[in-house]
Amino acid sequence: MSTAKLVLQHFNKRVRYELLQKQLFQLEETEGGFDRFTRSYKTFGVQRQPDDSLFFTEWAPAAEALFLTGDFNEWNKFSHPYTKKEFGKWELVLPPKHDGTPAVDHKTKLKVVVHTKKGDRLYRISPWAKYVTREEKAVVYDWVHWDPPQPYTPIHPRPKKPTSLRIYEAHVGIASSEANVASYANFTINVLPRIKELGYNCIQLMAIMEHAYYASFGYQVTSYFAASSRFGTPEELKQLIDAAHSMGIVVLLDVVHSHASKNTEDGLNCFDGSDSCFFHSPPRGEHSLWGSRLFNYGSWEVLRFLLSNLRWWMEEYCFDGFRFDGVTSMLYHHHGIGSGFSGDYSEYFGLQVDEDSLVYLMLANHILHTLYPDCITVAEDVSGMPALCRGVEEGGLGFDYRLAMAIPDKWIQILKELKDEDWDIGDIIHTLTNRRYGEKCIAYAESHDQALVGDKSLAFWLMDKEMYTNMSSQIPMTAIIDRGMQLHKMIRLLTHGLGGEGYLNFIGNEFGHPEWLDFPREGNNQSYHYARRQFNLLDTDQLRYYQLYAFDRDMNRAEEEYGWLAAPPAFVSAKHEEDKVIVFDRGHVVFIFNFHPSKSFQDYRVAVEAPGKYKIKLDSDEDQYGGHGRLDHNTEFYTEPRPFNGRPNSMQTNICIYSFLLCCV
């Protein structure tokens, strides 16, 4: 990098940190600090007081008047007006009933009635609503007062932050083989034990924040403080997370602060009758591709809302951190639309960067990591923003990890466009290792993006329709199934070992789920057939899906034992184009891959860092994983003090077609 660019980068990082410091100072001066500010979920919305009176607070700066209506007053539109306060806030106190109980009963419906300056009367859900539901066949969600007499109290403490992060990306609603919306309870009873058995130590839960449109996959949020009622109650979600904690598994929330649903009656949009309120006015406040609204991160009350939202999920539900969706859209005024991001530093430190949202992300990470030292934050960013995963004191944004989004794209491109003999080994290695030094990445071969209808999972690209007819372990493998099974395992382990400092798998992909993911919608006659995961395929060892499942399990268990994700980046000693062989070592483990479609190798010399005796630890060619059992696991490999490919020692081993072996000291 040139001296001029280094100076530019340093200057901008210093400026960014100064902006953060200014924001923190203002929070201290005006709100008594960020701890108090981010607990605003205890003052806004509806709060039960010690005497069982109810205190209501809303922010609606453009409203002419506010009223509360609901079951408690037989839906009288004018009997309970809010009082206007300064800074666009409105307050209302409901004293207890004659018997001393709260005026609004648990699980009864409410609405905020907003009178606009234009004379319109609008019925709205409180932005701070903690539970919303929709009646069967209804279009709009209802605000339901949630104040259970016996709320669920967690039993188990949060696990410590894992040193090696192995993430199971999951969606509660599809986590069943039944053609319906699965529940939190189903996930707790039936899915959590599988995740534990598979060796994942982190779950990333998608689509938890309430979204009116199921097919949006949770990315068009309508109620930010409400856990989706389609899966069950808030208490059942708390129980799910507590059960995960009892297994030593941390749970991340897929948080969507990059944009919001444009729904008005059951969303944030036009809450006070204006086209702004929580958002920028159009056109800046609209995302042209997503059809959604964009937050005004420069607004004090929007900061209160979003930062308190993060605190709410950490405190109320005991989540352990967040995967921030759509970070690229947040960071730039152009939202990444039409930008290729060549890597030039002018793309990251110019006027196109949205300083308000950048400071919001710095603020969010600083607050989360200060209050919760073991909190984990992951950024979904395709732009490659420098210092995204460096501390805010360095001028970074403070994330722990970024998603290595180029890796799944590369695998799909290879499978779509290239014959096996044309695979570019150097290009694969470059994609897997091309990351910013000192910034941790989550590597993955495929996520939910590749599972969605319109695309194909890796298993589908590899085996296609034969997955429906030739996956029986009672019949000989066809050439397509054989190739698909072996490459499915190899691609995943290569990504696991080389691609980052964490690893992610999407629910069901570990066993090569045979179908794409398509939520019920008009285009498929509201069918749930593809909005499910067929775990029932694992209930018999007569299908080869279990062989892929067993490999994924043992791959994670091997990482648990040797900790390569927490080790320094791998040293790649061989990337042989003609042989299609890859060799690297990481965390005292030597990884050997043979991607050649037709050639095995005898007495193949591989480089080794540490001298000594090596044995096979994990072998994709084993019978139990759907391989051919061509390697003798009793064989011991001894190193020689013979320098080779940049390492001081080397040894000879046999490498079979489509197989790799993992040798350990």
Side-chain angles (χ1 to χ4, degrees):
M1 190 188 306
S2 69
T3 302
K5 288 184 177 180
L6 280 171
V7 171
L8 172 67
Q9 181 183 357
H10 177 75
F11 172 76
N12 278 276
K13 286 182 178 179
R14 180 171 57 80
V15 169
R16 290 175 179 184
Y17 185 58
E18 289 173 354
L19 289 171
L20 172 67
Q21 291 292 92
K22 179 182 177 182
Q23 197 74 279
L24 289 169
F25 177 78
Q26 289 178 334
L27 283 171
E28 193 68 42
E29 288 290 297
T30 60
E31 300 282 349
F34 63 72
D35 184 27
R36 183 177 177 183
F37 186 64
T38 57
R39 289 185 184 272
S40 294
Y41 60 83
K42 290 191 171 185
T43 53
F44 280 73
V46 54
Q47 308 294 330
R48 180 153 57 93
Q49 304 302 305
D51 64 351
D52 279 339
S53 62
L54 296 176
F55 188 72
F56 293 79
T57 306
E58 299 295 348
W59 178 64
E64 183 70 22
L66 251 64
F67 297 85
L68 184 71
T69 188
D71 293 329
F72 78 99
N73 66 1
E74 298 181 340
W75 296 95
N76 188 305
K77 305 178 187 65
F78 307 107
S79 61
H80 290 82
Y82 286 72
T83 301
K84 188 174 184 179
K85 301 293 181 179
E86 59 182 351
F87 307 121
K89 296 173 186 175
W90 301 79
E91 294 178 356
L92 166 66
V93 178
L94 293 184
K97 291 186 285 191
H98 293 302
D99 61 3
T101 60
V104 180
D105 294 332
H106 172 52
K107 297 180 73 172
T108 59
K109 294 179 182 178
L110 295 167
K111 285 278 189 183
V112 177
V113 184
V114 179
H115 286 250
T116 71
K117 291 180 171 62
K118 294 181 179 179
D120 296 325
R121 184 189 303 159
L122 310 173
Y123 294 89
R124 295 289 188 255
I125 291 175
S126 169
W128 302 80
K130 298 174 177 64
Y131 190 58
V132 297
T133 63
R134 182 168 59 189
E135 299 287 344
E136 188 175 356
K137 296 184 179 180
V139 176
V140 177
Y141 272 76
D142 295 308
W143 174 18
V144 175
H145 180 55
W146 191 259
D147 187 16
Q150 295 180 319
Y152 183 83
T153 302
I155 301 170
H156 304 281
R158 285 189 174 101
K160 292 292 184 181
K161 181 190 297 187
T163 53
S164 292
L165 198 62
R166 301 183 297 274
I167 302 174
Y168 196 82
E169 183 184 35
H171 184 291
V172 169
I174 67 169
S176 164
S177 58
E178 302 296 323
N180 54 29
V181 179
S183 66
Y184 296 126
N186 166 74
F187 198 94
T188 303
I189 296 167
N190 297 316
V191 184
L192 279 181
R194 292 190 188 274
I195 296 172
K196 176 65 175 176
E197 182 192 20
L198 281 164
Y200 291 94
N201 55 20
C202 177
I203 300 169
Q204 179 182 303
L205 282 182
M206 308 179 67
I208 295 297
M209 303 166 81
E210 190 61 271
H211 48 292
Y213 185 42
Y214 190 41
S216 76
F217 217 154
Y219 291 122
Q220 294 281 350
V221 176
T222 46
S223 290
Y224 278 76
F225 287 81
S228 182
S229 60
R230 57 170 55 85
F231 310 134
T233 68
E235 311 313 303
E236 288 168 332
L237 174 58
K238 294 174 188 177
Q239 190 171 4
L240 184 163
I241 295 170
D242 197 27
H245 287 169
S246 75
M247 300 176 182
I249 300 172
V250 298
V251 187
L252 307 184
L253 174 68
D254 200 347
V255 69
V256 188
H257 282 183
S258 49
H259 64 128
S261 168
K262 64 181 179 182
N263 286 19
T264 54
E265 289 190 61
D266 53 9
L268 296 181
N269 193 18
C270 301
F271 172 69
D272 64 355
S274 71
D275 64 0
S276 53
C277 197
F278 290 93
F279 312 109
H280 290 290
S281 295
R284 185 180 177 185
E286 294 179 335
H287 197 291
S288 61
L289 295 184
W290 295 347
S292 52
R293 298 304 311 270
L294 298 173
F295 288 105
N296 178 3
Y297 304 102
S299 163
W300 194 256
E301 293 303 321
V302 171
L303 286 180
R304 182 194 306 277
F305 181 79
L306 294 176
L307 291 171
S308 296
N309 186 236
L310 297 174
R311 192 80 188 273
W312 162 259
W313 293 107
M314 293 292 290
E315 291 285 337
E316 183 71 12
Y317 288 92
C318 295
F319 277 96
D320 302 287
F322 304 95
R323 179 267 201 183
F324 281 74
D325 174 70
V327 169
T328 306
S329 176
M330 298 174 72
L331 289 176
Y332 307 96
H333 292 295
H334 53 63
H335 309 299
I337 300 172
S339 298
F341 295 107
S342 65
D344 190 285
Y345 272 67
S346 63
E347 297 171 336
Y348 308 119
F349 297 102
L351 295 176
Q352 65 269 37
V353 175
D354 188 332
E355 281 190 347
D356 288 339
S357 59
L358 184 140
V359 172
Y360 164 68
L361 290 171
M362 295 177 74
L363 195 60
N365 277 305
H366 172 71
I367 292 171
L368 286 170
H369 289 101
T370 302
L371 295 172
Y372 313 98
D374 280 338
C375 178
I376 300 167
T377 58
V378 181
E380 185 212 30
D381 170 47
V382 299
S383 74
M385 168 67 75
L388 187 74
C389 300
R390 299 299 298 178
V392 295
E393 68 281 356
E394 300 175 357
L397 273 69
F399 285 97
D400 295 290
Y401 298 90
R402 70 196 314 156
L403 292 174
M405 303 182 71
I407 296 176
D409 291 342
K410 175 57 65 177
W411 286 125
I412 295 298
Q413 177 203 355
I414 289 170
L415 295 179
K416 285 174 65 174
E417 300 176 3
L418 299 178
K419 297 178 181 178
D420 292 358
E421 57 269 24
D422 295 332
W423 285 25
D424 187 332
I425 298 299
D427 185 44
I428 293 171
I429 297 300
H430 174 75
T431 302
L432 287 165
T433 58
N434 182 29
R435 52 188 184 271
R436 296 192 183 280
Y437 182 78
E439 297 193 47
K440 293 190 287 188
C441 288
I442 302 293
Y444 56 106
E446 54 184 340
S447 70
H448 68 272
D449 289 325
Q450 287 73 40
L452 290 170
V453 66
D455 203 340
K456 291 182 180 181
S457 66
L458 289 181
F460 239 137
W461 280 112
L462 289 164
M463 295 177 279
D464 206 67
K465 61 183 180 182
E466 288 206 19
M467 298 184 72
Y468 296 108
T469 57
N470 294 324
M471 285 295 278
S472 171
S473 61
Q474 308 302 302
I475 61 174
M477 283 191 288
T478 65
I480 288 176
I481 295 297
D482 190 7
R483 171 183 176 271
M485 290 280 293
Q486 311 324 319
L487 285 178
H488 192 272
K489 292 174 287 186
M490 295 174 70
I491 287 170
R492 300 176 98 71
L493 185 76
L494 181 57
T495 302
H496 204 305
L498 194 59
E501 290 69 39
Y503 177 76
L504 178 143
N505 165 70
F506 178 64
I507 180 171
N509 284 356
E510 70 276 5
F511 64 87
H513 195 276
E515 292 173 346
W516 54 81
L517 182 60
D518 188 14
F519 287 89
R521 53 189 174 84
E522 287 186 13
N524 63 13
N525 296 318
Q526 304 297 333
S527 172
Y528 285 88
H529 180 77
Y530 296 110
R532 60 190 180 126
R533 297 283 93 176
Q534 297 184 59
F535 288 113
N536 56 299
L537 296 174
L538 300 173
D539 295 337
T540 173
D541 58 6
Q542 296 184 356
L543 293 176
R544 297 194 181 278
Y545 297 106
Y546 186 77
Q547 295 170 343
L548 296 176
Y549 178 94
F551 177 78
D552 197 82
R553 175 197 65 206
D554 292 349
M555 176 175 66
N556 284 322
R557 289 180 179 179
E559 199 289 324
E560 174 72 20
E561 182 177 355
Y562 295 100
W564 60 72
L565 287 172
F571 179 86
V572 181
S573 59
K575 44 183 177 180
H576 201 292
E577 293 295 345
E578 184 178 346
D579 295 345
K580 304 299 180 191
V581 169
I582 298 170
V583 181
F584 62 89
D585 56 84
R586 186 180 185 190
H588 305 295
V589 176
V590 177
F591 295 77
I592 306 171
F593 298 80
N594 176 14
F595 282 97
H596 201 289
S598 60
K599 189 185 294 185
S600 294
F601 302 97
Q602 300 293 318
D603 299 326
Y604 202 89
R605 184 164 295 278
V606 298
V608 181
E609 171 68 11
K613 180 176 68 175
Y614 285 71
K615 294 194 69 173
I616 297 171
K617 174 64 182 181
L618 184 65
D619 171 16
S620 72
D621 198 43
E622 275 197 85
D623 293 333
Q624 63 174 318
Y625 307 138
H628 302 283
R630 289 170 289 196
L631 294 173
D632 181 0
H633 284 224
N634 294 317
T635 303
E636 296 176 339
F637 304 92
Y638 292 89
T639 63
E640 304 172 55
R642 178 176 169 180
F644 186 69
N645 285 354
R647 285 307 199 199
N649 301 287
S650 60
M651 62 186 179
Q652 289 182 305
T653 182
N654 298 333
I655 308 177
C656 300
I657 299 171
Y658 281 150
S659 72
F660 66 85
L661 50 94
L662 177 61
C663 300
C664 311
V665 177

